[in-house]
Amino acid sequence: MQRMGERIHIHLISDSTGETLESVARASLARFEGVEAVKHFWPLVRTTGHLDRVLEDVSEHPGLVVFTLATGAVRDRLEQRCAALGLPAVSAIDPVVAGLSIILGKAATARPGRQHRLDEAYFARVEAINYTMAHDDGQGEENWNEADILLVGVSRTSKTPTSIYLANRGFKTANYPLVPGRKPPPELFTATRPFIVGLTTTPQRLVEVRRNRLLSLAQAPETDYVDSERIKKEVLEARRLFADRGWPVIDVTRKAIEETAAAVIRLMNRAEEE
């Protein structure tokens, strides 16, 4: 048995995009403190040949296997191999599907990835993702009025990952980094369509995040970029800008990306209701 504080491997195996598994794993791991999880992500597994390649990694890195597999042969093979390896294999949605089957009085289909059918919502989400990737980090300011959401904040306040998460929810999202000594483009103040939100965090947290970022890039960890006094000034100036423009502000300190995105959506919905 794995003990708290140990590293564990979790294999997420899906016959579709795997978004469901990612959400389930994240929510479940949040219930356990002190656990370092190494996630192995395997989307679009629809043949036994593909599964066999996945199982090689499962055998080399034994751990929990969580799956959403609709195809009988692939699922059967996975369950048999996990049983032989002595590893738990858990279906992420079987209990819900079984409950629906009882209520509806009919069996579920075995069509993989049916929830991601190419409908209008799917294409809208693809468009949102394409827009967001093209308008990351201050790019394409001339098109900001096409955005649903525009995130503004100093460096390392989770603007990009939050934008991508929102795009996956179907929102065209642009973001702009506030840089000391660089004047924002006029489009930031003239855009009328996007819902603009300021992201902030504590100076102490910003020092930690930026220093870790520099270390991950093998760069010197002591520069103006992580100077505490400079960062305090950056955060203060950003907050002053948000207040002057009347933009709502979200403090992302210790917040997960999903929490920040949910807060943005709540603020936007509230503003539309007013």
Side-chain angles (χ1 to χ4, degrees), residues 144 147-152 173-176 187-188 191 194-197:
W144 280 350
D148 299 307
I149 298 167
L150 175 55
L151 303 179
V152 183
T173 309
N175 70 77
Y176 178 76
E187 288 84 358
L188 182 61
F195 182 68
I196 303 178
V197 180

Side-chain angles (χ1 to χ4, degrees), residues 177-197:
L178 296 172
V179 178
R182 187 174 80 183
K183 188 177 180 180
E187 288 84 358
L188 182 61
F189 308 115
T190 58
T192 56
R193 183 178 186 275
F195 182 68
I196 303 178
V197 180

Side-chain angles (χ1 to χ4, degrees), residues 50-232:
H50 189 176
L51 178 65
D52 285 342
R53 294 192 294 274
V54 172
L55 287 169
E56 290 178 10
D57 189 76
V58 174
S59 180
E60 292 175 8
H61 304 96
L64 175 64
V65 175
V66 188
F67 64 89
T68 51
L69 296 175
T71 306
V74 177
R75 175 172 175 150
D76 290 346
R77 189 176 187 85
L78 173 65
E79 292 177 331
Q80 291 166 5
R81 287 291 293 131
C82 286
L85 292 168
L87 299 176
V90 180
S91 170
I93 63 173
D94 270 10
V96 179
V97 172
L100 286 171
S101 182
I102 292 171
I103 292 295
L104 296 172
K106 60 181 179 180
T109 65
R111 181 180 170 189
R114 187 181 180 193
Q115 70 273 28
H116 298 289
R117 63 191 183 280
L118 301 184
D119 56 12
E120 227 174 274
Y122 173 85
F123 287 113
R125 188 173 66 168
V126 170
E127 185 181 356
I129 291 171
N130 289 336
Y131 177 90
T132 299
M133 297 304 292
H135 295 81
D136 180 41
D137 205 29
Q139 299 181 79
E141 66 269 16
E142 67 277 7
N143 299 317
W144 280 350
N145 251 337
E146 298 175 15
D148 299 307
I149 298 167
L150 175 55
L151 303 179
V152 183
V154 301
S155 174
R156 313 313 298 175
T157 48
S158 304
K159 295 183 299 299
T160 294
T162 303
S163 296
I164 293 172
Y165 187 91
L166 287 165
N168 273 282
R169 293 288 301 274
F171 298 99
K172 292 182 180 179
T173 309
N175 70 77
Y176 178 76
L178 296 172
V179 178
R182 187 174 80 183
K183 188 177 180 180
E187 288 84 358
L188 182 61
F189 308 115
T190 58
T192 56
R193 183 178 186 275
F195 182 68
I196 303 178
V197 180
L199 300 185
T200 189
T201 186
T202 63
Q204 297 85 352
R205 177 60 175 165
L206 208 49
V207 170
E208 293 175 20
V209 172
R210 289 185 178 183
R211 183 170 285 125
N212 288 337
R213 174 63 174 168
L214 291 177
L215 288 171
S216 71
L217 297 174
Q219 296 181 10
E222 301 301 331
T223 67
D224 287 344
Y225 185 62
V226 294
D227 180 77
S228 59
E229 292 304 315
R230 173 182 164 138
I231 286 177
K232 286 179 184 177

